[in-house]
Amino acid sequence: MREVAARAGVSIKTVSNVVNHYQFVSDATRDKVEDAIHDLGYVVNASARTLRTGHTGIIALVIPDLQIPYFAQLSSLVIEEGKRLSLHVIVEPTLYSREGEIQALHGSQISMLDGIIFSPLELSGDDVDQLDIDVPLVLIGERIFTDNVDHIATENVEGAKRATTYLFQTGCRRIAVLGVHPGEDVGSAALRFRGYREALEEMGLAFDPKLVAPADRWHRIDGVNAMNLLLDQGVEMDGVVALNDMLASGASHAIQMRGLAVPGDISIIGFDNSEDSQYLSPALTTIAPGLEAVARLSMRVLKDRIDGNHPLDEPDGRPIFRKVSSSLVVRASTKPPTHAAGQLC
Amino acid sequence: MREVAARAGVSIKTVSNVVNHYQFVSDATRDKVEDAIHDLGYVVNASARTLRTGHTGIIALVIPDLQIPYFAQLSSLVIEEGKRLSLHVIVEPTLYSREGEIQALHGSQISMLDGIIFSPLELSGDDVDQLDIDVPLVLIGERIFTDNVDHIATENVEGAKRATTYLFQTGCRRIAVLGVHPGEDVGSAALRFRGYREALEEMGLAFDPKLVAPADRWHRIDGVNAMNLLLDQGVEMDGVVALNDMLASGASHAIQMRGLAVPGDISIIGFDNSEDSQYLSPALTTIAPGLEAVARLSMRVLKDRIDGNHPLDEPDGRPIFRKVSSSLVVRASTKPPTHAAGQLC
DNA sequence: TTGTAGGCGTTATCAA
DNA sequence: TTGATAACGCCTACAA
């Protein structure tokens, strides 16, 4: 910067003004400085600026696993939105480790972060104190409930309810559910499971524990295993609500491996509308959670907090809670709604 | 830091020494300082350290698209390896834009980067000057060839050759190829296509342009489209080499939509061994490119360059060129090798 | 509209 | 083994 100033015959401060688009700089001076900058290939030193301003322009996106399409897509959208707001994104997969999540919030790297977007998986309601950190924090998804933190939620209960209801409308009466986390009460699994149960109740179907297949993780292999377990037990069913698309994909695979047809013998509905879901055979009917909105909203709230503004132009600065609405995507893994069923609802 | 020093009754420098594990610090002093650090909840300021040392501890991973499982997996592995080497990773998807790739290498953010791992897609051999940047750069994949940059390559030609040969060994004689980029000569598409042609030649099969289906991008939908094009044209074939797994998945879908069987009527082999590939129906036979090795090697080379060491303990400091070897993963989308064919090879 | 002085929190140098 | 002091490059205040 000093060199630039010398070459342009002005002071360092003037160079700074030009670089920061300060408006009261004469055109002549500005041109001189810009030429010098160009000639010397000067770029501002981000660290020095950071040291002075206290902002790094970097945020962390803390997620369970980048290899899950849901999170890959979310990351992609968050990075994109970050670009729009001039924020760089460090993606931190915690790989299903409680320790990893705590490290991500409290590790030494937070001193280089302007904020964190956190999708908790292992931390639960008891860990609210872990969320008390020095930089702005926005929660996405579900699992931890506290009124003190900005939170962009997805419609888990409503989405699963809709999925289950739709199966009913297509004529299914013995509907299994895949991927439940027994004992959990605030995570995506618990909420989606709750939606399933609420739908059964509304449809007047009895809840049958035999139709419930737990799965700790939600990879495709877990869907294969859970489905095989049900089939091995000879459980009678004509529909499956998988708590995410990968489970659904695995289940579809397992069913077809037995020579059964989807949706002929068993219908399947997933959750997430991952990019793959449309290319499975048969293409998967699923619930789209509105990830674009999650990415956009969470990023904007964080940016507002970083800048010290009230988030989303709310009149007061209290923690935001927004629920992004989901939608049903009908494809080929379910039968068409029956007339009779339609009337029933 | 000043507060810590005051509380521990030592100088700032001593605190610095403790923080940086400088070895000549008495145990008593060290304990005092560590207590003070703990009591005050002090964390080092990354920006200040960066300003002083010139290192940020951040690198960028520049890739075309995070939503492609291949790159999601690669990113995951690179981030993991980065953690091991204390380097944070900013993932920068360029979204198939030449401008995006140039920006990633020359944008203002490089002043906050210690290095870049770059998987080029749009930049070609003519753009070698674009690779001349101020921070260490490691190329991965293919596409740009220059001896002046460290490069971790994958076995594109050999892998595709192996795939094609394997189809031949299972009895296929009319083998189509999906995802070719006409006019390209150094990208993954060109190299894999070259492997396909080399295999045909070795097997004594004639090359038939009718069996070549181009596809600019390699998403599943492109596989569906490319395959449908071939099928619509009534092209006779008994095997398909898809230049990646997503194309293969799309092709498999398209074939089965027509009521044809995989591999009964048409065998399919993919490339990349993405996590999904094993859960398709039928499970996909594919080529595993050894991504773990790519991630590990590229990260280590970069780290060595950042630290000013010769990469990978090579005696001299010349640019590294390493090729990671690939392997064949046999699943259910291909028939078993025939005895006769086996003899032929 | 432009210039000068000071300090952000570290680490490096050198002296004690 | 420890301490004082000077940078690192930039931005804010204030003065000119």
Side-chain angles (χ1 to χ4, degrees):
Chain A
M1 195 157 181
R2 206 175 13 231
E3 290 176 39
V4 173
R7 186 181 241 268
V10 297
S11 81
I12 291 178
K13 170 61 188 161
T14 304
V15 177
S16 172
N17 282 340
V18 171
V19 168
N20 294 291
H21 307 104
Y22 183 65
Q23 57 181 143
F24 301 114
V25 179
S26 71
D27 290 349
T29 309
R30 183 187 307 279
D31 288 348
K32 261 191 311 186
V33 173
E34 281 174 347
D35 285 351
I37 286 176
H38 182 79
D39 293 349
L40 274 59
Y42 163 84
V43 284
V44 295
N45 178 314
S47 325
R49 172 178 285 176
T50 290
L51 180 59
R52 199 63 180 80
T53 63
H55 289 307
T56 61
I58 304 174
I59 67 143
L61 173 63
V62 181
I63 55 172
D65 187 353
L66 187 53
Q67 292 197 52
I68 303 278
Y70 177 89
F71 290 113
Q73 194 185 346
L74 178 69
S75 304
S76 223
L77 292 167
V78 167
I79 291 170
E80 220 174 302
E81 188 66 25
K83 203 159 213 169
R84 233 165 264 141
L85 304 178
S86 300
L87 287 173
H88 293 272
V89 178
I90 289 182
V91 179
E92 281 212 44
T94 56
L95 302 176
Y96 311 96
S97 127
R98 185 185 151 80
E99 203 44 49
E101 295 190 354
I102 294 174
Q103 270 310 307
L105 297 178
H106 298 277
S108 58
Q109 75 282 5
I110 61 150
S111 79
M112 68 155 118
L113 297 177
D114 282 353
I116 297 180
I117 295 179
F118 178 31
S119 173
L121 182 68
E122 300 293 331
L123 291 185
S124 69
D126 305 337
D127 303 302
V128 175
D129 358 340
Q130 297 286 357
L131 302 182
D132 183 23
I133 57 177
D134 288 339
V135 296
L137 172 68
V138 175
L139 295 181
I140 57 179
E142 232 83 19
R143 183 87 203 188
I144 295 181
F145 289 104
T146 165
D147 291 342
N148 303 321
V149 185
D150 294 311
H151 194 155
I152 309 296
T154 39
E155 276 196 354
N156 282 305
V157 177
E158 297 83 345
K161 192 165 163 182
R162 195 157 179 184
T164 311
T165 304
Y166 184 72
L167 282 188
F168 181 85
Q169 290 170 344
T170 66
C172 299
R173 291 298 176 271
R174 295 275 303 163
I175 303 176
V177 59
L178 248 59
V180 173
H181 291 175
E184 186 184 279
D185 59 348
V186 290
S188 304
L191 294 166
R192 293 178 185 184
F193 182 51
R194 189 190 305 164
Y196 164 83
R197 294 201 60 165
E198 286 184 8
L200 289 191
E201 195 159 339
E202 276 191 18
M203 303 297 111
L205 293 180
F207 169 70
D208 181 354
K210 283 210 282 298
L211 287 169
V212 175
D216 268 5
R217 299 203 183 169
W218 285 0
H219 286 260
R220 246 168 286 237
I221 187 66
D222 306 304
V224 173
N225 293 338
M227 196 66 217
N228 277 331
L229 200 69
L230 287 183
L231 293 169
D232 287 342
Q233 292 170 341
V235 176
E236 229 179 284
M237 66 192 123
D238 52 11
V240 173
V241 173
L243 297 191
N244 85 345
D245 284 351
M246 298 184 78
L247 289 167
S249 165
S252 177
H253 184 67
I255 290 172
Q256 293 177 77
M257 283 298 99
R258 306 253 173 158
L260 297 172
V262 176
D265 297 304
I266 302 179
S267 298
I268 300 184
I269 190 163
F271 205 117
D272 285 350
N273 191 29
S274 63
E275 213 216 329
D276 317 12
S277 59
Q278 59 187 303
Y279 302 112
L280 297 174
S281 304
L284 187 67
T285 297
T286 188
I287 300 291
L291 273 193
E292 299 80 3
V294 172
R296 202 182 59 245
L297 284 174
S298 58
M299 205 65 182
R300 296 202 175 232
V301 169
L302 193 60
K303 170 76 169 167
D304 285 339
R305 291 291 185 198
I306 292 170
D307 294 345
N309 300 327
H310 290 166
L312 305 178
D313 302 323
E314 292 285 322
D316 56 37
R318 284 178 309 181
I320 284 280
F321 181 87
R322 286 285 174 87
K323 194 170 257 192
V324 171
S325 59
S326 59
S327 55
L328 174 71
V329 181
V330 176
R331 299 208 186 89
S333 67
T334 47
K335 300 178 185 174
T338 64
H339 191 231
Q343 281 183 324
L344 268 177
C345 313
Chain B
M1 194 157 183
R2 202 171 22 227
E3 291 176 37
V4 173
R7 184 179 242 269
V10 298
S11 80
I12 291 179
K13 172 60 188 163
T14 304
V15 178
S16 173
N17 284 340
V18 171
V19 167
N20 293 292
H21 306 105
Y22 183 64
Q23 57 181 142
F24 301 114
V25 179
S26 72
D27 289 350
T29 310
R30 185 186 304 279
D31 287 349
K32 262 191 310 186
V33 172
E34 282 175 346
D35 285 351
I37 286 176
H38 182 81
D39 292 350
L40 274 60
Y42 162 84
V43 284
V44 294
N45 178 315
S47 321
R49 171 178 287 174
T50 291
L51 178 59
R52 197 61 181 83
T53 62
H55 290 308
T56 61
I58 305 173
I59 67 143
L61 173 64
V62 181
I63 54 173
D65 187 353
L66 187 54
Q67 292 198 52
I68 302 278
Y70 177 90
F71 290 113
Q73 195 185 347
L74 177 70
S75 304
S76 224
L77 293 166
V78 166
I79 290 170
E80 221 174 301
E81 187 67 23
K83 203 158 213 170
R84 234 165 264 139
L85 303 178
S86 299
L87 287 172
H88 292 273
V89 178
I90 289 182
V91 179
E92 281 211 44
T94 56
L95 301 176
Y96 312 97
S97 129
R98 183 183 151 81
E99 201 46 47
E101 294 190 355
I102 293 175
Q103 271 309 306
L105 297 178
H106 299 276
S108 57
Q109 76 281 6
I110 61 149
S111 80
M112 67 155 119
L113 297 177
D114 281 353
I116 298 179
I117 296 179
F118 178 32
S119 173
L121 182 68
E122 300 292 331
L123 291 185
S124 69
D126 306 337
D127 303 303
V128 176
D129 356 341
Q130 298 286 357
L131 301 182
D132 183 24
I133 58 178
D134 288 338
V135 296
L137 173 67
V138 175
L139 296 181
I140 57 179
E142 234 82 22
R143 181 88 204 189
I144 295 180
F145 287 105
T146 165
D147 291 341
N148 303 320
V149 186
D150 294 312
H151 194 155
I152 308 298
T154 38
E155 275 196 356
N156 282 305
V157 177
E158 296 83 347
K161 192 165 163 182
R162 194 156 179 186
T164 312
T165 303
Y166 184 71
L167 282 188
F168 181 85
Q169 288 170 344
T170 66
C172 299
R173 292 298 177 269
R174 296 274 303 163
I175 303 176
V177 58
L178 248 58
V180 173
H181 291 175
E184 188 185 276
D185 58 347
V186 289
S188 303
L191 293 167
R192 293 178 184 184
F193 181 50
R194 190 191 305 163
Y196 164 82
R197 294 201 60 164
E198 285 183 7
L200 289 190
E201 196 159 335
E202 276 191 18
M203 303 297 110
L205 293 180
F207 170 71
D208 181 352
K210 283 209 282 298
L211 288 168
V212 176
D216 269 3
R217 300 202 181 168
W218 284 359
H219 286 260
R220 247 167 282 238
I221 186 67
D222 305 305
V224 173
N225 293 338
M227 196 67 219
N228 276 331
L229 200 69
L230 288 184
L231 292 169
D232 286 343
Q233 291 170 343
V235 177
E236 230 179 288
M237 66 193 123
D238 52 12
V240 173
V241 174
L243 296 191
N244 85 343
D245 283 351
M246 298 184 78
L247 289 167
S249 166
S252 177
H253 184 67
I255 290 171
Q256 292 177 78
M257 282 297 100
R258 306 250 174 160
L260 297 173
V262 176
D265 296 304
I266 301 179
S267 298
I268 301 184
I269 191 164
F271 203 118
D272 285 348
N273 191 29
S274 63
E275 213 217 329
D276 316 13
S277 58
Q278 60 187 303
Y279 300 111
L280 297 175
S281 302
L284 187 68
T285 297
T286 187
I287 299 292
L291 274 192
E292 299 79 3
V294 171
R296 202 182 57 245
L297 284 173
S298 58
M299 205 67 182
R300 297 201 176 234
V301 169
L302 193 60
K303 171 75 170 168
D304 285 338
R305 290 292 185 196
I306 291 170
D307 294 345
N309 300 327
H310 291 167
L312 304 178
D313 303 321
E314 293 284 326
D316 55 37
R318 283 178 308 181
I320 285 280
F321 183 87
R322 286 285 174 87
K323 195 171 256 191
V324 171
S325 59
S326 59
S327 56
L328 174 71
V329 180
V330 176
R331 299 207 186 88
S333 67
T334 49
K335 300 178 185 173
T338 65
H339 192 231
Q343 283 184 323
L344 269 175
C345 310

